[in-house]
């Protein structure tokens, strides 16, 4: 859910339900690395309320689009992490396959 | 390149730049090639290392804001191709249930997200409901049910659905039966997790209220439409059961008996720790121990003795003893080596901010390497969900 103004799209607070530091902190990190972002931060208004507020202020682009791009970037990063990890594990398994024999 | 070499390199760089500035001043700075601009070495050190001083660590934060070094012409923004080139994973150790790997070139925000997801958001199956038919042991029903919940179950949770409000069926519930009895005149009996036997056809306890239909199959606490054996090949080859067969559940005295049925469902660690797929998932930053000056003879010996985990070695060169940093990875940052007069000046303890030594210990439902990929996938799903919500 977005809380912003109708006249100024560049500043918004996004209230995301069912999320916590896990997503909010990684998004804050990716957003802060985006040169279009002038300010970004998040807060959890109440610990027993399962939601985070993510504040995004930009230099001119709509905050919503910038946040979407951050998510997209984060996904690309995750995919890269996953591929690199799978490759590294496969390499190890190929070089010493003893472990597989032990299991099955 | 060892930490020491790097440091010497840094120092020489700073000296040469210092001289340059002195000689030609602003002219020289303006003539520097502007792409790629590099930060001055001391700032670079602050950006990439945590320094552990005797009283407290300094420069512990990561500098994330893209324009943090704009005045110096250094672009701190995230470039995906940059990340791709620098990111590395090295698997150090891979065992059946443990993995240790180095994750290099990533921000703590992401490393921590993976850790958090591993602990609390990767689903597993765990016993949630226990139906007692008989329990005359001294372990109370609720205590025994709690113990059963914590028994790790060796089954791939991806083959099951969350039960939510659905009636228990073959796609969301695994049923175990436990019947143990210690006969009179026999020695005490220890009931272990081995006694949990899987019932692929679901519950065998008839529903008490159901007396209307007498001829057909009696209704039970679960409504399985087929045997779980037929669902997946994995199940018939490798029957579902507790991961370890030697977990003690209760001890029975002569004449005591336990008869129960345990229903396992899918869940997440954030609901209850019994669903957490890991015993621990943690990381530490790579320690970097640098000798700021040559440490020789008695001092070298003193230094070698100071360290409780033997980070330092002594090198013998032409009758001179010199301390070297042999195993910086073992350093626990106990800061023993920088205690006492002047030692803080001789030894620099640092941590590399973007190098994580990651360790995952699985409880056994899934192998540790699969757990990590699942965790990364979950973070991707979260992004996807947010994108969908924003569009
Ligand atoms: S901090 Fe402790 S473990 Fe690390 S090198 Fe110094 S004495 Fe050894």
């Amino acid at each position: 859910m977005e809380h912003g103004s109708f006249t100024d799209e560049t500043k918004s607070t996004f209230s995301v339900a069912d999320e916590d530091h896990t997503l909010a902190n990684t998004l804050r990190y990716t957003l802060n690395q985006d040169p279009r972002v002038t300010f970004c931060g998040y807060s959890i208004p109440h610990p027993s309320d399962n939601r985070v507020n993510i504040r995004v202020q930009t230099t001119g682009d709509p905050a919503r689009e910038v946040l979407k791009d951050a998510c997209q970037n984060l996904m690309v990063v995750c995919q890269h992490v996953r591929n690199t990890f799978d490759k590294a594990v496969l390499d190890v398994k190929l070089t010493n396959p003893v472990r597989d024999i032990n299991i099955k | 390149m060892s930490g020491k070499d790097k440091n010497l390199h840094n120092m020489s760089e700073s000296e040469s730049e210092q001289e340059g500035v002195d000689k030609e001043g602003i002219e020289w700075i303006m003539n520097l090639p502007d792409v790629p601009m590099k930060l001055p070495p001391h700032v670079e050190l602050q950006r990439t290392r945590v320094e552990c001083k005797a009283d407290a660590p300094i420069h512990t934060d990561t500098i994330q804001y893209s324009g943090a070094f704009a005045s110096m012409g250094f672009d701190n923004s995230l470039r995906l191709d940059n990340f791709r080139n620098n990111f590395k994973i090295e698997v150090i150790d891979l065992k059946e249930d443990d993995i240790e790997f180095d994750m290099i070139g990533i921000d703590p925000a992401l490393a921590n997200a993976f850790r958090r997801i591993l602990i609390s958001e990767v689903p597993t199956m765990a016993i949630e409901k226990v139906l007692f038919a008989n329990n005359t042991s001294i372990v109370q029903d609720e205590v025994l049910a709690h113990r059963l919940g914590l028994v790790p179950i060796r089954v791939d949770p991806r083959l099951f659905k969350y039960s939510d409000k659905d009636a228990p069926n073959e796609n969301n519930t695994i049923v175990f039966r436990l019947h143990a009895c210690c006969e009179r005149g026999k020695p005490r009996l220890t009931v272990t997790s081995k006694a949990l036997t899987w019932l692929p056809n679901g519950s065998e306890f008839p529903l008490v209220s159901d007396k209307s239909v007498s001829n057909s199959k009696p209704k039970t606490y679960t409504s399985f439409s087929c045997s779980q054996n037929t669902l997946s090949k994995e199940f018939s080859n490798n029957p579902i059961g507790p991961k370890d067969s030697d977990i003690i559940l209760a001890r029975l005295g002569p004449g005591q008996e336990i008869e129960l049925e345990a229903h396992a469902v899918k869940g997440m660690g954030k609901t209850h720790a019994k669903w957490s797929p890991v015993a621990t998932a943690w990381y530490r930053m790579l320690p970097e121990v640098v000798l700021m000056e040559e440490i020789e003879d008695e001092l070298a010996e003193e230094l070698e003795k100071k360290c409780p985990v033997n980070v330092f070695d002594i090198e013998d060169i032409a009758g001179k003893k010199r301390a070297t940093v042999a195993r910086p990875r073992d350093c626990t940052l106990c800061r023993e080596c920088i205690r006492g007069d002047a030692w803080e000046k001789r030894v620099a303890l640092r941590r590399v901010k973007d190098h994580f030594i990651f360790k995952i210990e699985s409880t056994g439902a899934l192998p540790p390497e699969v757990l990590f990929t699942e965790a990364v996938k979950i973070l991707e799903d979260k992004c996807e969900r947010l994108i969908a919500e924003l569009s």
Side-chain angles (χ1 to χ4, degrees):
Chain A
M1 196 209 298
E2 184 175 350
H3 301 282
S5 77
F6 289 115
T7 49
D8 189 359
E9 299 192 296
T10 67
K11 305 173 181 60
S12 271
T13 301
F14 300 88
S15 186
V16 190
D18 294 328
E19 290 297 347
D20 56 5
H21 297 279
T22 308
L23 183 69
N25 194 33
T26 39
L27 274 181
R28 182 192 56 106
Y29 160 71
T30 8
L31 280 165
N32 266 325
Q33 303 248 294
D34 189 329
R36 293 174 297 175
V37 174
T38 53
F39 173 83
C40 166
Y42 75 90
S43 73
I44 293 179
H46 194 281
S48 41
D49 196 8
N50 210 356
R51 67 170 57 243
V52 284
N53 291 341
I54 304 174
R55 176 77 179 164
V56 185
Q57 290 173 206
T58 72
T59 51
D61 297 81
R64 170 183 289 256
E65 295 306 314
V66 173
L67 181 60
K68 250 198 255 175
D69 287 352
C71 289
Q72 214 86 53
N73 273 349
L74 193 54
M75 278 174 73
V76 175
V77 168
C78 283
Q79 271 154 16
H80 183 66
V81 170
R82 202 145 50 94
N83 293 340
T84 322
F85 180 80
D86 286 345
K87 240 189 16 245
V89 168
L90 200 66
D91 280 352
V92 170
K93 277 190 182 164
L94 288 180
T95 45
N96 48 352
V98 188
R99 177 178 180 261
D100 290 338
I101 299 164
N102 279 345
I103 294 174
K104 273 154 202 163
Chain B
M1 193 195 247
S2 78
K4 193 183 166 195
D5 293 339
K6 217 183 269 171
N7 179 59
L8 288 178
H9 176 71
N10 277 349
M11 293 223 295
S12 63
E13 227 175 42
S14 79
E15 274 161 27
S16 64
E17 264 176 48
Q18 214 57 48
E19 278 166 50
V21 173
D22 287 341
K23 267 183 223 144
E24 284 121 73
I26 198 85
E27 278 287 281
W28 182 81
I29 292 176
M30 298 312 285
N31 286 333
L32 280 175
D34 45 10
V35 254
M37 267 292 238
K38 271 183 53 196
L39 284 172
H42 67 282
V43 184
E44 184 66 18
L45 196 68
Q46 283 183 19
R47 194 177 73 91
T48 58
R49 301 286 188 275
V50 176
E51 280 189 74
C52 297
K53 298 294 188 190
D55 46 358
I58 54 170
H59 311 313
T60 52
D61 50 341
T62 48
I63 294 151
Q64 298 173 334
Y65 176 48
S66 61
F69 303 110
S71 62
M72 285 184 258
F74 178 83
D75 183 8
N76 196 38
S77 63
L78 175 76
R79 300 250 191 74
L80 285 178
D81 44 334
N82 243 349
F83 171 76
R84 278 215 187 86
N85 294 336
N86 295 333
F87 182 69
K88 259 195 302 197
I89 283 183
E90 283 163 19
V91 179
I92 306 293
D93 190 19
L94 180 60
K95 294 209 210 77
E96 189 184 335
D97 288 330
D98 310 343
I99 187 172
E100 180 177 340
F101 60 95
D102 281 22
M103 197 157 55
I104 308 161
I106 198 165
D107 192 84
L110 279 155
N112 194 38
F114 298 147
R115 184 193 63 84
R116 284 175 64 97
I117 294 175
L118 274 169
I119 292 172
S120 68
E121 285 182 68
V122 178
T124 59
M125 304 292 287
I127 291 169
E128 166 73 354
K129 262 192 204 134
V130 180
L131 312 177
F132 285 92
N134 190 7
N135 178 15
T136 51
S137 76
I138 51 162
V139 186
Q140 298 94 321
D141 291 2
E142 61 271 31
V143 177
L144 188 55
H146 181 248
R147 288 182 72 80
L148 284 166
L150 294 169
V151 173
I153 293 165
R154 180 182 30 87
V155 60
D156 188 342
R158 291 170 292 187
L159 301 168
F160 289 88
K161 295 197 183 82
Y162 288 102
S163 55
D164 292 326
K165 286 178 195 79
D166 306 350
N169 60 40
E170 70 276 10
N171 289 317
N172 61 25
T173 309
I174 304 172
V175 183
F176 295 98
R177 183 187 146 78
L178 188 154
H179 189 187
C181 177
C182 181
E183 275 158 44
R184 277 181 199 286
K186 294 264 170 68
R188 263 183 275 169
L189 178 76
T190 305
V191 184
T192 62
S193 52
K194 199 162 85 188
L196 285 169
T197 40
W198 175 41
L199 302 178
N201 289 310
S203 170
E204 286 171 350
F205 287 169
L207 221 54
V208 191
S209 57
D210 194 57
K211 282 173 194 143
S212 48
V213 216
S214 52
N215 292 346
S216 69
K217 226 170 68 180
K219 262 200 181 150
T220 62
Y221 282 88
T222 55
S223 33
F224 281 27
S225 61
C226 62
S227 162
Q228 277 169 334
N229 265 324
T230 59
L231 289 181
S232 162
K233 271 211 189 89
E234 245 178 78
F235 294 164
S236 35
N237 297 340
N238 192 8
I240 302 174
K243 157 79 181 160
D244 304 292
S245 57
D246 54 356
I247 302 170
I248 296 175
L249 299 172
R251 302 196 78 190
L252 301 184
Q256 296 178 347
E257 185 177 359
I258 297 177
E259 187 181 2
L260 58 83
E261 236 178 49
H263 294 199
V265 297
K266 188 172 175 174
M268 284 194 290
K270 64 179 168 189
T271 319
H272 190 291
K274 69 184 174 189
W275 279 297
S276 183
V278 293
T280 53
W282 59 282
Y283 58 76
R284 63 194 179 110
M285 286 180 276
L286 180 79
E288 188 182 81
V289 183
V290 180
L291 303 178
M292 303 304 282
E293 55 189 62
E294 302 272 296
I295 297 176
E296 287 166 345
D297 299 330
E298 287 93 70
L299 279 178
E301 267 163 23
E302 192 188 335
L303 182 64
E304 196 200 14
K305 273 206 209 82
K306 267 171 174 267
C307 178
V309 290
N310 271 327
V311 166
F312 304 100
D313 263 354
I314 291 191
E315 222 175 40
D316 219 320
I317 302 174
K320 262 207 162 164
K321 285 183 181 151
R322 215 181 61 171
T324 56
V325 183
R327 290 162 290 273
R329 203 184 158 92
D330 292 349
C331 173
T332 56
L333 286 182
C334 65
R335 291 180 285 183
E336 196 57 38
C337 56
I338 53 171
R339 217 167 64 157
D341 303 330
W343 277 105
E344 204 176 347
K345 275 198 227 92
R346 295 189 192 119
V347 184
L349 294 175
R350 300 179 189 148
R351 296 209 141 187
V352 183
K353 275 183 199 171
D354 66 348
H355 187 141
F356 298 95
I357 300 170
F358 215 107
K359 237 180 173 182
I360 302 171
E361 291 176 18
S362 165
T363 55
L366 290 172
E369 69 273 17
V370 178
L371 286 179
F372 185 77
T373 23
E374 285 298 303
V376 181
K377 268 189 215 156
I378 289 173
L379 187 59
E380 276 170 55
D381 292 345
K382 281 170 180 287
C383 297
E384 214 164 308
R385 201 193 70 140
L386 187 56
I387 294 177
E389 243 171 67
L390 289 172
S391 317

